């Protein structure tokens, strides 16, 4: 991971905060806002799927969460007004490619496959966690224990990929496959507690929240704290290189001045902190 991180120099950051920045330029990168090629002049249109608390969700009819606060801050550093648009997770990358949104401000894992469609500015690192009842958790220490059991996972996610991959391993070993039960983000606990699934697979931030709010009805299973930790990235269309670079510089500035850490602490996800950003740092 460290080998691929693109470190942004503090010299560049110092230049970003120069009070002599010309009007109409990005506060973070010194790039004229018109050169960022945003969908709507003066606005950063941010696509989110608000079903992944505490990262992005709805509360009282308003979008909230770490990614909402963080991308709002980034927009301000770019001299733009944030506009949030609700987009189904599977439609975020096509929406970027079609220039319907400027930034996917979601908890999207940066993978080599997804890099073929979009570019990522990495901002967080997390893996999947197995969520089960305390009784079942004791028998789910390794992936081999998933064979013949039902996993509740959100479609089009790395969690589903992990369940499918383990199912193939089970079959090759002559065991029963893992049964896949597709559910929305962050609601695997409903299927687990109802007995329709033996366990759920959720990203670390969501899994921690589900267990904490379950009143002891759920636990994180497994010998490994997180399965295959990978970076999350804010995604940008591949032909929006100036916007991508400006977002990276703005994010590194937020890390340097403590804004990033304060937001991680606010939403209790500091375990996923990155100390520097990368472009397409996932594999």
């Amino acid at each position: 991971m460290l080998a691929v991180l693109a470190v942004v120099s503090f010299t560049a950051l110092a230049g970003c905060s120069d009070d002599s920045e010309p009007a109409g330029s990005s506060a973070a990168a010194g790039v004229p806002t018109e050169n960022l090629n945003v969908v709507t002049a003066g606005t950063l249109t941010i696509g989110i799927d608000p079903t992944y608390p505490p990262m992005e969700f709805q509360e009282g009819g308003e979008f909230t969460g770490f990614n909402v606060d963080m991308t709002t801050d980034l927009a301000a550093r770019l001299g733009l007004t944030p506009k949030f648009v609700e987009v189904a997770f599977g439609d975020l990358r096509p929406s970027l490619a079609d220039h319907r949104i400027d930034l996917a401000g979601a908890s999207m894992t940066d993978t080599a496959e997804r890099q073929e469609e979009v570019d990522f500015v990495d901002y967080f690192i997390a893996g999947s966690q197995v969520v089960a009842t305390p009784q079942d958790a004791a028998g789910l220490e390794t992936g081999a224990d998933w064979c013949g059991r039902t996993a509740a996972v959100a479609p089009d996610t790395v969690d589903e990929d992990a369940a499918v991959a383990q199912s193939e391993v089970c079959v090759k070993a002559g065991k029963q496959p893992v049964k896949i039960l597709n559910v929305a983000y962050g609601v695997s606990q409903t299927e687990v507690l109802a007995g329709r699934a033996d366990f759920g697979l959720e990203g670390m931030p969501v899994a921690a929240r589900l267990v904490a709010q379950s009143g002891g009805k759920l636990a994180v299973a497994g010998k490994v704290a997180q399965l295959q930790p990978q970076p999350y990235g804010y995604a940008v269309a591949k032909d929006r290189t100036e916007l991508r670079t400006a977002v990276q510089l703005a994010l590194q500035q937020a890390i340097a001045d403590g804004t990033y850490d304060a937001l991680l602490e606010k939403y209790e996800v500091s375990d996923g902190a990155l100390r520097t950003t990368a472009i397409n740092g996932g594999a």
Side-chain angles (χ1 to χ4, degrees):
M1 180 66 188
L2 291 177
V4 297
L5 288 179
V7 180
V8 180
S9 74
F10 285 98
T11 302
L13 292 176
C16 296
S17 60
D18 188 347
D19 291 337
S20 65
E21 194 78 56
S25 293
S26 160
V31 178
T33 54
E34 59 267 25
N35 290 358
L36 297 179
N37 292 320
V38 291
V39 173
T40 302
T43 300
L44 186 68
T45 304
I46 304 163
I48 60 169
D49 183 353
T51 58
Y52 203 68
M55 302 302 279
E56 58 267 357
F57 59 105
Q58 284 185 300
E59 191 171 71
E62 300 290 332
F63 295 135
T64 188
F66 171 80
N67 281 328
V68 173
D69 286 2
M70 190 71 257
T71 55
T72 295
D73 177 82
L74 296 179
R77 293 174 191 269
L78 298 177
L80 299 170
T81 300
K83 176 185 177 182
F84 291 94
V85 178
E86 186 170 351
V87 180
F89 187 83
D91 293 332
L92 283 167
R93 296 190 302 280
S95 295
L96 288 166
D98 294 343
H99 300 155
R100 285 174 280 162
I101 60 174
D102 299 309
L103 188 75
S107 300
M108 186 180 294
T109 303
D110 173 0
T111 67
E113 182 180 3
R114 289 172 176 169
Q115 289 167 18
E116 295 178 4
E117 300 178 74
V118 297
D119 284 334
F120 289 95
V121 178
D122 296 338
Y123 68 89
F124 193 77
I125 189 163
S128 301
Q129 290 188 313
V130 177
V131 177
T133 64
Q135 296 85 350
D136 287 340
L140 291 166
E141 290 192 345
T142 69
D145 298 324
W146 301 4
C147 300
R149 302 200 183 192
T150 299
V153 296
D156 300 317
T157 65
V158 294
D159 302 323
E160 183 182 49
D161 292 345
V164 170
Q166 181 57 48
S167 184
E168 293 172 354
V169 171
C170 292
V171 171
K172 288 179 180 178
K175 299 180 180 180
Q176 291 296 310
V178 179
K179 300 170 187 174
I180 307 296
L181 177 60
N182 283 141
V183 297
Y185 280 125
V187 297
S188 62
Q189 83 281 8
T190 302
E191 305 305 312
V192 170
L193 293 175
R196 293 186 289 268
D198 297 298
F199 64 95
L201 274 177
E202 300 279 2
M204 176 269 288
V206 174
R209 185 182 178 93
L210 293 179
V211 170
Q213 294 181 342
S214 73
K217 295 179 181 179
L218 295 172
V220 172
K223 290 183 177 180
V224 180
Q226 296 186 54
L227 304 173
Q228 298 178 326
Q230 297 182 72
Y232 289 176
Y234 295 130
V236 180
K238 293 194 79 69
D239 61 350
R240 296 293 190 254
T241 55
E242 288 185 312
L243 177 61
R244 180 199 67 191
T245 300
V247 169
Q248 183 191 30
L249 289 169
L251 178 58
Q252 191 64 38
Q253 188 181 61
I255 292 172
D257 69 20
T259 301
Y260 171 80
D261 284 331
L263 291 178
L264 289 174
E265 185 175 348
K266 175 182 176 180
Y267 291 100
E268 300 180 329
V269 290
S270 296
D271 286 348
L274 289 178
R275 300 289 18 120
T276 189
T277 65
I279 299 295
N280 296 331

